[in-house]
């Protein structure tokens, strides 16, 4: 299965301090949000500032895609939130 971040849908920081992005799984796409806490705990974000979250997201993209693949649900109505618990389960 081919899993990658949709380049046409750039990652952005939401009002609730998550980084939202869209992942393509072969022919399907799903929106995910990574919490600031997960980015700080597992991806090395220095703070909750927008630039720090985006830099940590880009640096840890491979690990984030592993977690997204684990949590895929294909319910396009709402984004799937990836939080500290998912990262703890998949990466440790």
């Amino acid at each position: 299965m081919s899993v990658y971040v949709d380049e046409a849908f750039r990652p952005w920081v939401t009002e609730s301090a998550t980084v939202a992005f869209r992942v393509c799984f072969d022919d399907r796409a799903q929106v995910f949000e990574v919490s600031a806490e997960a980015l700080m705990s597992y991806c090395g974000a220095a703070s909750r500032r927008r630039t720090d979250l985006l830099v940590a997201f880009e640096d840890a993209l491979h690990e984030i895609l592993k977690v997204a693949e684990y949590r895929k649900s294909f319910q396009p109505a709402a984004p799937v939130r990836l939080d500290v618990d998912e990262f703890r389960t998949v990466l440790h």
Side-chain angles (χ1 to χ4, degrees):
M1 176 187 303
S2 176
V3 179
Y4 57 93
V5 172
D6 185 355
E7 291 298 322
F9 191 83
R10 296 291 303 157
W12 81 95
V13 178
T14 66
E15 291 177 6
S16 59
T18 63
V19 174
F21 61 103
R22 185 165 59 189
V23 176
C24 296
F25 301 93
D26 290 331
D27 62 342
R28 294 179 164 181
Q30 177 75 47
V31 175
F32 290 89
E33 292 181 1
V34 180
S35 71
E37 292 80 15
L39 287 167
M40 290 170 58
S41 297
Y42 290 96
C43 304
S47 71
R48 295 173 68 100
R49 289 186 2 210
R50 179 188 184 296
T51 54
D52 291 339
L53 295 176
L54 289 173
V55 166
F57 174 84
E58 292 294 331
D59 289 346
L61 190 56
H62 180 70
E63 290 80 9
I64 291 169
L65 285 176
K66 281 197 272 187
V67 177
E69 187 173 12
Y70 173 77
R71 278 293 313 272
K72 68 182 175 187
S73 68
F74 299 115
Q75 297 172 356
V80 175
R81 184 178 171 109
L82 304 176
D83 214 340
V84 174
D85 293 335
E86 286 80 19
F87 278 81
R88 188 176 298 127
T89 302
V90 174
L91 298 180
H92 293 291

